[in-house]
Amino acid sequence: MLKAKILFVGPCESGKTVLANFLTESSDITEYNPTQGVRILEFENPHVTSNNKGTGCEFELWDCGGDSKFESCWPALMKDAHGVVIVFNADIPSHLKEIEMWYSCFVQQQLLQDSQCLLVAHHKPGSGGDRGSPALSPPLNKLKLVHSNLEEDPEEIRMEFIKYLKSIINSMSESRDREEMLIIT
């Protein structure tokens, strides 16, 4: 059974924990408490299997605190990560600049492919949620961007997240198949 490690990273108060709880069908948190370090949520998704072989997949979603005081822990969090979801609050202009740093640290420096990264513009309840494309600078503008609004259209982000998980699992399966072929030949 394949097990994938997915990191949820991004600026403080962007909605990572609320989104993580929703996508993993974990408990609802009603009041804001900044994540201290990291929370690890383990889950399975019946819609995601390994290379159409019907083999189930397990996921670890690492909900990482957005405060830079945890920066010394980042190398340990990044170890063996298969994917990174960068969550930002689309209504806070400074988040657009901050996500460049998250991308640099968690994707580029870890030599992950852009296909292993998902960018989520999270709209908090009551924000109105401007769904236009934020002005993303290169290389962020090459990433898959999805909007999340749990109040207006919660199923849209769930479907996009399932697609993302499928792409991560397919990538892991292909990599494992290549390794097995090298051993055989």
Side-chain angles (χ1 to χ4, degrees), residues 157-182:
I157 186 64
R158 190 185 311 274
M159 291 298 113
E160 291 292 344
F161 189 61
I162 288 170
K163 282 188 220 169
Y164 171 70
L165 293 177
K166 285 179 178 177
S167 74
I168 295 294
I169 292 300
N170 286 339
S171 170
M172 290 172 66
S173 292
E174 289 168 8
S175 177
R176 186 175 65 184
D177 291 349
R178 278 192 302 274
E179 288 174 14
E180 288 173 357
M181 289 308 291
L182 286 173

Side-chain angles (χ1 to χ4, degrees), residues 100 136-142:
E100 292 177 24
L136 299 170
S137 60
L140 296 175
N141 59 359
K142 294 179 180 71

